[in-house]
Structures are given as structure tokens and as C-alpha cells.
Amino acid sequence: TQDSSNAGFTNRQQAHQDLNLTIPEVDEASMIKDEFSESVLSKIKVSKRNRIIKEKLGHEENDAQAMTQYSPEKVEEMVQEEVRNRRKYTGQQQNMSPGESLLKPSTRKLHIDNGSCFMCYIVKNKSLHDLIPDYELSTCKQVFEEMLQKLPQSNEANFGLGRVLAYEEKYEESIKHLRVALRNKPKDVLFLTWYQFVQFKLAGNRHDLLNLKEAMVTVLRENKKQIEVLWGLMEISLSKQLECGSEIEVPQYYASNIKEIDTYYGYLAWSTLFLKQDQEEKGLDILQELIKSNPDIPEAYIVLW
């Protein structure tokens, strides 16, 4: 048995030599160093978020599936884009019928009088004439003119004609009649707000706007919830002809005050700010939410139009 084992070993050794095979020598020092390195590396704990260190340690291949090729900012952008696409798709599927709104239906704390000039402030790049039917304007104008032939100093007739002329955007003629109406009723808030709206339309320089701002602040002291005055001040501030902070408050101040009076008109004011300050998407989103949550209130439709 011993002889056959020795013979087998001799044959295998001969076969290796015939094939020119060599067995490499083992470097014990190198082996110890490699084992030590592997042992140390295996004990280092690295956060999965620390990609740079993980790459240096050679851990990235184990966590390849947990990593993304996109940055967090890119992912957020993709999500927002998907949300926008789904909103558009949902709107098309529902024929743009109002769905659930992010805003609760507004509790109406303020009901603006039909004769108010508020609508005139919120109509942008459209004719005020579009707010009233032609036959109504012509009929009212005729009635007021006939009244003034009999009673030239009539407050109501002068105010009525002045308002009709403002809708026709004939501001120079309008302010003459409004001035007569205010002569005998200088504290009438409805007369004052229309007069100041026409002044705003006629203001040709910052001096005019500064005087108008002072007059509006005076009215506001006695009528703190007069939304037309607050909106007019916001428009003056947005015009950037007066220095915000010293000559007039920033527009956000007036928008916040309006929101304290009435949430619906407050959000309407903020949508106007966003639209004026090159944040159109935010402004449009607010308007669409206002329409969904308050479909029977017309102002958001008008601004969106």
C-alpha cells in the first residue's frame, strides 16, 4: 500500500512537470495584511446616504438597488410634473367639472354692494364696459342725464352718471360728476370709493399717487373693513411708483388685512399678488381652488378671465 501511494504521488508530480505547471509561493505577510484590511473594512459602518464613502470602500455594488441615478431635486421635479399631468388628465376626464378643493368653502363675512367699484379694480386688460350690458348702460345714462337737466346739483344723478361714465372709461368726465356728488355728501363711503377709483385711473405721476394714498388711508381710519380702499392701496403699492416701507406699505400687508376681513377676498388678493409678481402658476392654482370651493361667487371667475 505504501509503495502504491508513493508511486501515485510520483506520477502526479511528473504530470505537473510535463504540463509546465508551477504552484505559486504564498507570501504570508501579504496574506496577513489583506486579511486585516478586509476585517477592518467589514467592521466600518457607513450610512446608505453617504455614496462617496461607500464607493471608496467598495460597498456600492451591494447597495446598487437601493441607490437612484436621480438627485432628490430631480425626483421632486418628476413628482410635481406627474401631479400636474394627473390634474390635467382628471380635469379632462371630468370635463373640467369642479372636484374637491384644497380650500374650504369661505365663510362670507363680507357682502360687497352691487354698486361698489370693487369689480373695476379686479378687471385687468379688459374693458370695464364688458361688466354691464349695453342696453343697461345706455338706459341708465339717459335717465341720469334727464334728471340732471331738471336738478343739476342732484347727488344721486351726478353719482349715477359719474359711475356710468367710469364704466365707459371716460374718467375725465366721470370725476367731474363724482366731485359734485361729494360736495354735499363728503362722508358718503360709496361716493368716496368710486371717486378714489377714478382718481387712481387718472393718476399720472407718483405725486398724484402719494396724495391718493393719503386720502385712502384717511377713509380707512373711519372704515377699517372697506375692502375697496384696501385693494386700491394694494394696487398703488404694486405699481412700484411709491417706495414700499417708507411711502406705502408692501402689497402683502394689504392682502393680509383683506384676508383677515374675508378669507375669499383675501385669497383673491394673494392670487393677484402672485400673478403680478411673475408667479403665475401659484396665482392660477389659487383662483381655480376658489372657484371649486365657492362656485357661486363671481370674482375669481372674473380675475381668471
Side-chain angles (χ1 to χ4, degrees), residues 81-94:
E81 180 64 26
E82 182 63 20
V83 169
R84 284 193 290 270
N85 290 336
R86 289 190 183 187
R87 280 182 181 172
K88 290 178 183 177
Y89 177 76
T90 303
Q92 291 168 357
Q93 290 293 98
Q94 297 176 352

Side-chain angles (χ1 to χ4, degrees), residues 234 250-260 265-266 269-270 273:
M234 184 179 75
V250 295
Q252 290 84 350
Y253 170 81
Y254 300 111
S256 296
N257 277 318
I258 293 171
K259 189 171 180 293
E260 287 181 9
Y265 291 111
W270 279 102
L273 291 187

Side-chain angles (χ1 to χ4, degrees), residues 239-271:
S239 72
K240 297 181 180 179
Q241 294 197 48
L242 301 184
E243 187 175 344
C244 290
S246 58
E247 295 179 314
I248 193 169
E249 300 288 351
V250 295
Q252 290 84 350
Y253 170 81
Y254 300 111
S256 296
N257 277 318
I258 293 171
K259 189 171 180 293
E260 287 181 9
I261 297 170
D262 187 280
T263 55
Y264 179 88
Y265 291 111
Y267 282 120
L268 196 70
W270 279 102
S271 73

Side-chain angles (χ1 to χ4, degrees), residues 82-133:
E82 182 63 20
V83 169
R84 284 193 290 270
N85 290 336
R86 289 190 183 187
R87 280 182 181 172
K88 290 178 183 177
Y89 177 76
T90 303
Q92 291 168 357
Q93 290 293 98
Q94 297 176 352
N95 294 321
M96 300 307 291
S97 61
E100 284 191 32
S101 171
L102 299 178
L103 301 176
K104 295 180 180 179
S106 298
T107 303
R108 302 311 305 280
K109 298 179 181 178
L110 182 70
H111 292 274
I112 294 179
D113 188 89
N114 289 333
S116 168
C117 63
F118 179 72
M119 288 289 193
C120 300
Y121 276 115
I122 66 175
V123 173
K124 305 295 180 186
N125 303 319
K126 300 284 184 181
S127 173
L128 296 182
H129 190 281
D130 294 333
L131 293 175
I132 297 181

Side-chain angles (χ1 to χ4, degrees), residues 35-36 58-60 87 96 102 134 142 144 148 158 161 164 192 211 242 247-248 251 253 271 273 296:
E35 288 177 354
F36 175 75
H59 291 182
E60 71 279 6
R87 280 182 181 172
M96 300 307 291
L102 299 178
D134 290 341
Q142 183 180 349
F144 293 134
L148 287 174
N158 274 290
L161 184 57
V164 168
L192 278 169
N211 288 337
L242 301 184
E247 295 179 314
I248 193 169
Y253 170 81
S271 73
L273 291 187
D296 297 328

